[in-house]
Amino acid sequence: MFLDGDEWRKFFDGFEREAFRFETQPKYTMPNEAASLASFLRGEPKPHDHNSRWHGRVRAYVESGKRIGRVRVVQQPLTDYQRYQLSWGIPGNVAAGEAIRILDLTVTELDLPTEQDWWMFDDARVVQLNYRPDGTQINREVVEGDLEPYRIWKRLALDAAIPYAEYAKDH
């Protein structure tokens, strides 16, 4: 089953305890980020309201007792998009309450699906995020069947990744 628009939002918001993302793409080509990415690359200051809609959602989840987090996979040298995300995106997400860890595969080798993004909800539902090579999202697909590999990958990634703040101070 594929999810889009309101179906995706309803599915996402339906989690009860935890939403976890495994994020691997070297870049994401998202029309709503094009202007801010260009500003970042020109060295302009980050707007005070950057990513504020997502921050509001994260705060609402956390205030209702839910957890939300991700492991962001990177490899040196970072892409322009990863530098943008680590500088402009992730700090605000963390401040809003999202638990973000960084897994640098330059220094660590793990048996993980490092070209496939996915969200896991309550350790019981998984949605794969499918992308073209240029970082454009193709679709969101509900995974049917055995979810145990995703639970194992989640544990491996969380165990090997470091908190964003620790990563940021060294990079």
Side-chain angles (χ1 to χ4, degrees):
M1 172 173 56
F2 294 96
L3 299 170
D4 201 13
D6 289 340
E7 267 186 340
W8 168 236
R9 177 74 184 250
K10 187 175 180 179
F11 189 95
F12 191 107
D13 288 343
F15 77 94
E16 296 177 11
R17 295 175 314 283
E18 180 189 35
F20 170 81
R21 181 165 179 181
F22 186 70
E23 189 172 45
T24 68
Q25 302 303 305
K27 68 178 179 179
Y28 296 93
T29 304
M30 299 170 53
N32 64 335
E33 286 186 340
S36 62
L37 175 58
S39 293
F40 169 79
L41 292 174
R42 287 191 300 268
E44 296 173 7
K46 179 173 74 171
H48 74 282
D49 63 345
H50 179 76
N51 215 13
S52 60
R53 282 185 45 203
W54 177 247
H55 299 158
R57 286 181 69 188
V58 168
R59 276 191 289 280
Y61 296 138
V62 172
E63 288 168 4
S64 72
K66 298 176 181 182
R67 294 183 315 275
I68 186 163
R70 72 182 73 202
V71 167
R72 177 55 166 120
V73 176
V74 299
Q75 197 160 5
Q76 303 297 326
L78 298 177
T79 66
D80 287 343
Y81 186 89
Q82 289 168 335
R83 290 185 310 102
Y84 160 73
Q85 189 180 37
L86 290 165
S87 297
W88 278 27
I90 290 176
N93 295 3
V94 170
E98 188 175 353
I100 299 179
R101 299 175 70 81
I102 307 299
L103 177 56
D104 190 337
L105 292 180
T106 309
V107 297
T108 304
E109 221 175 285
L110 294 171
D111 187 21
L112 293 169
T114 57
E115 295 181 11
Q116 179 66 61
D117 285 29
W118 42 273
W119 278 99
M120 177 180 277
F121 303 95
D122 301 322
D123 284 336
R125 300 179 304 151
V126 173
V127 175
Q128 285 189 350
L129 309 174
N130 300 311
Y131 293 89
R132 291 186 180 96
D134 73 351
T136 303
Q137 190 174 81
I138 300 167
N139 57 38
R140 299 173 196 96
E141 184 177 3
V142 176
V143 175
E144 305 290 342
D146 184 16
L147 301 182
E148 190 57 24
Y150 292 90
R151 292 181 194 107
I152 291 168
W153 294 329
K154 176 185 171 188
R155 281 193 301 275
L156 282 170
L158 285 169
D159 287 348
I162 61 173
Y164 167 74
E166 187 177 326
Y167 183 85
K169 76 177 184 190
D170 293 334
H171 295 87

